[in-house]
Amino acid sequence: MTTDEYYMNFAIEEAKKAGAIGEVPIGAVVVHNDEIIARAHNLREKEQNPTAHAEHIAIESAAKQLGSWRLEDCTLYVTLEPCVMCAGAIVMSRIPRVVYGAQDPKGGCAESLMNLLQESRFNHRANVISGVLAERCSTILKQFFSDLRKKKKIDQSADNTNS
Ligand SMILES: [Zn+2]
């Protein structure tokens, strides 16, 4: 197992925590000097907060932990390619290295739709490593949505029986 795979496993654990409470299963950790200083999972539904993405929460928590908005010498691990907001937060926090698992063809801003993390017109660029444990990261998401669809079908047929 590589170091990146090792830390991605912790992000996957976070993603599972999100899935267990009905959130889209996405998880993130921030590593500083070989130590996890922040871990978070998606809490958008629970908090009804559009900015409560895993990596966004992890970035805020890491900044608190370090007492600095500059997350120098940090690596962010996230199970899904960062969105436009989280890519923005990565640039703003000067995180030098980002490792993600699955690609997000519908919203990813680290490669799929655009690459905000390596945009030469910004004053900060991050090294990006993609596809780390991608299969596991995306299976968790696929399983979640497939379960959700099944549940909806069951709910609908229950509704039909009642009416
Ligand atoms: Zn995001």
Side-chain angles (χ1 to χ4, degrees):
M1 193 193 300
T2 67
T3 305
D4 283 343
E5 286 171 349
Y6 173 78
Y7 287 119
M8 186 59 82
N9 272 311
F10 290 94
I12 289 172
E13 285 312 307
E14 288 298 315
K16 286 181 184 165
K17 285 184 202 168
I21 56 168
E23 300 277 353
V24 176
I26 302 165
V29 298
V30 175
V31 175
H32 178 255
N33 294 338
D34 302 320
E35 190 198 340
I36 296 176
I37 59 166
R39 46 182 98 205
H41 50 270
N42 176 30
L43 288 173
R44 190 174 55 180
E45 298 299 330
K46 185 170 175 238
E47 298 193 351
Q48 285 300 304
N49 178 353
T51 73
H53 290 191
E55 61 271 58
H56 201 265
I57 300 168
I59 286 170
E60 284 192 346
S61 162
K64 261 190 201 133
Q65 191 69 26
L66 294 177
S68 167
W69 63 267
R70 284 177 185 274
L71 300 186
E72 285 164 356
D73 306 315
C74 287
T75 298
L76 171 74
Y77 292 85
V78 56
T79 56
L80 184 68
E81 182 181 358
C83 73
V84 62
M85 172 184 72
C86 293
I90 290 163
V91 173
M92 292 305 142
S93 57
R94 312 285 192 264
I95 293 174
R97 191 164 180 273
V98 175
V99 180
Y100 71 83
Q103 280 197 332
D104 182 4
K106 288 181 184 162
C109 286
E111 186 174 357
S112 295
L113 299 184
M114 60 191 84
N115 190 343
L116 294 175
L117 301 183
Q118 293 173 326
E119 165 57 58
S120 60
R121 289 170 294 178
F122 287 144
N123 63 353
H124 176 78
R125 281 167 291 284
N127 288 322
V128 180
I129 315 287
S130 62
V132 174
L133 302 183
E135 193 64 38
R136 278 183 58 204
C137 293
S138 83
T139 302
I140 292 169
L141 282 162
K142 279 179 195 153
Q143 189 62 50
F144 176 82
F145 286 114
S146 142
D147 290 349
L148 203 64
R149 279 192 295 272
K150 273 181 214 153
K151 193 181 168 292
K152 265 187 193 154
K153 263 186 197 159
I154 292 167
D155 289 350
Q156 271 167 6
S157 59
D159 284 350
N160 292 341
T161 322
N162 292 338
S163 60

